[in-house]
């Protein structure tokens, strides 16, 4: 009887420990905080270039990336205007978008929106008043393309899209993925497109673009 009681107590203890561990994982113990959220927003904003990487590896282009806060008076998170262009054709960006950084139930999400009449906002990082002519309500969200971001340590945040949820028809793709790593001075962005067979059809193959923040 004594042996059975000891074993029973052991089993009970193990079950209790497991349930407690499960509770920790499923609760907000590991959630992102308001401080994390604010830090990430501050790190994201700025002007970046991949010029150094392109000089060291000819498989990468020299790209300018601008990420500037807009609608600063809003209280529903942080809004950014994002513009990317080859340095040699800086006035002809190949990507313009609006991103919305939100903190919901302990998760940080970067939600992506298409920008209507993009040509009217080229260089908008120098004149954010351009975006006062419309509100976020008029934007079209790219459903499934949000990036879920977590703090890895005191120096790094990282995130990615979920599975193949972000649809894309660019260059024969059926979906796209995006991986994102950021520190106070560096942003690594790896965007890739895949066809319906899972073959990569666009995007860097060896790794992400490494953007250094311009001081």
């Amino acid at each position: 009887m004594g042996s059975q009681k000891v074993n029973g107590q052991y089993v009970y203890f193990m079950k209790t420990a497991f349930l407690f561990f499960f509770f920790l994982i499923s609760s907000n113990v590991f959630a992102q905080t308001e401080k994390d959220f604010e830090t990430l927003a501050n790190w994201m904003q700025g002007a970046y270039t991949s010029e150094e990487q392109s000089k060291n590896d000819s498989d990468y282009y020299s790209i300018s990336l601008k990420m500037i806060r807009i609608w600063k008076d809003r209280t529903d998170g942080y809004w950014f205007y994002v513009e990317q262009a080859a340095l040699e054709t800086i006035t002809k960006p190949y990507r313009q978008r609006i991103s919305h950084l939100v903190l919901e139930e302990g998760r940080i999400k970067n939600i992506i929106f298409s920008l209507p009449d993009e040509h009217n906002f080229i260089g908008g990082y120098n004149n954010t008043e351009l975006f006062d002519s419309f509100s976020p309500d008029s934007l079209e969200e790219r459903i499934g393309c949000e990036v879920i971001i977590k703090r890895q340590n005191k120096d790094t945040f990282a995130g990615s899209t979920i599975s193949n949820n972000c649809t894309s028809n660019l260059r024969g793709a059926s979906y796209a993925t995006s991986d994102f790593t950021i520190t106070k001075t560096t942003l690594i962005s790896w965007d890739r497109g895949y066809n319906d067979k899972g073959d990569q059809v666009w995007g860097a193959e060896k790794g992400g673009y490494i953007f250094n923040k311009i001081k």
Side-chain angles (χ1 to χ4, degrees), residues 69-71 121 123-134:
R69 276 194 65 191
I70 58 176
W71 301 323
F121 300 95
Y125 48 84
N126 286 324
N127 181 15
T128 58
E129 292 181 359
L130 287 172
F131 302 95
D132 294 338
S133 61
F134 66 97

Side-chain angles (χ1 to χ4, degrees), residues 50-63 189-190 203-210:
S50 65
E51 185 174 15
E52 181 178 348
Q53 184 185 32
S54 70
K55 289 179 178 178
N56 296 326
D57 190 335
S58 60
D59 286 337
Y60 292 86
Y61 298 99
S62 186
I63 303 296
S189 178
W190 195 4
E205 296 182 0
K206 295 188 295 186
Y209 270 81
I210 302 173

Side-chain angles (χ1 to χ4, degrees), residues 68-80:
I68 304 300
R69 276 194 65 191
I70 58 176
W71 301 323
K72 294 182 180 180
D73 292 336
R74 296 187 64 91
T75 59
D76 56 349
Y78 298 93
W79 293 85
F80 297 89

Side-chain angles (χ1 to χ4, degrees), residues 86-190:
L87 280 179
E88 59 186 18
T89 54
I90 194 72
T91 59
K92 298 179 179 179
Y94 64 84
R95 178 178 294 166
Q96 294 170 263
R97 62 177 179 263
I98 301 292
S99 70
H100 184 200
L101 197 68
V102 298
L103 177 63
E104 296 178 348
E105 298 180 349
R107 292 204 313 172
I108 298 176
K109 294 196 297 183
N110 192 30
I111 305 171
I112 308 301
F113 294 85
S114 299
L115 182 62
D117 301 318
E118 293 178 340
H119 60 280
N120 292 330
F121 300 95
I122 293 175
Y125 48 84
N126 286 324
N127 181 15
T128 58
E129 292 181 359
L130 287 172
F131 302 95
D132 294 338
S133 61
F134 66 97
S135 71
D137 297 335
S138 62
L139 295 173
E140 181 179 350
E141 180 183 346
R142 295 198 61 201
I143 303 295
C145 298
E146 68 273 12
V147 176
I148 309 301
I149 304 171
K150 295 180 180 179
R151 189 162 201 164
Q152 307 299 300
N153 51 55
K154 67 182 181 67
D155 298 316
T156 309
F157 288 89
S160 63
T161 48
I162 300 174
S163 186
N164 58 353
N165 293 347
C166 182
T167 59
S168 170
N169 56 13
L170 178 65
R171 303 175 202 163
S174 62
Y175 69 92
T177 63
S178 181
D179 294 280
F180 169 96
T181 304
I182 190 168
T183 70
K184 195 172 184 178
T185 59
T186 305
L187 187 154
I188 303 175
S189 178
W190 195 4

Side-chain angles (χ1 to χ4, degrees), residues 204-215:
E205 296 182 0
K206 295 188 295 186
Y209 270 81
I210 302 173
F211 294 94
N212 295 315
K213 183 172 282 191
I214 301 171
K215 296 182 180 179

Side-chain angles (χ1 to χ4, degrees), residues 37-52:
F37 187 47
E38 181 180 358
T39 298
L40 175 60
N42 289 334
W43 287 3
M44 284 174 60
Q45 177 168 261
Y48 301 81
T49 175
S50 65
E51 185 174 15
E52 181 178 348

